[in-house]
Amino acid sequence: MDGFILLERWGFNKVLIHTNNLEVVNALQDRHLANSSSSLLRRINQILRNIDQWSIRHISREMNQ
């Protein structure tokens, strides 16, 4: 979460997120996240909405160095 707060604070307008957690990728790509029961996911979505361009990609654990 700290990284997302820094994105917001520093005013980045383009972000590329790589993670080996497929559940996180699916959750953040879900356009109906505003209705999520997870306050953490809702807050991350709120931060990402303020960024002009962002994308998230899944990478395997083996490739995540």
Side-chain angles (χ1 to χ4, degrees):
M1 185 63 192
D2 292 339
F4 287 102
I5 292 171
L6 289 175
L7 291 173
E8 182 177 47
R9 198 172 287 160
W10 291 344
F12 283 91
N13 61 3
K14 292 183 182 179
V15 176
L16 174 59
I17 303 163
H18 286 167
T19 180
N20 61 8
N21 189 324
L22 187 56
E23 290 179 54
V24 169
V25 171
N26 291 335
L28 291 177
Q29 288 178 338
D30 185 358
R31 300 298 180 217
H32 302 291
L33 200 56
N35 300 327
S36 172
S37 61
S38 168
S39 60
L40 176 61
L41 289 176
R42 285 194 314 268
R43 178 66 178 122
I44 292 170
N45 187 356
Q46 181 182 26
I47 292 169
L48 290 174
R49 280 189 305 214
N50 293 323
I51 296 173
D52 294 334
Q53 294 179 347
W54 67 271
S55 66
I56 185 167
R57 294 184 183 161
H58 176 259
I59 57 172
S60 68
R61 288 189 190 273
E62 296 78 26
M63 297 299 293
N64 187 6
Q65 299 289 328

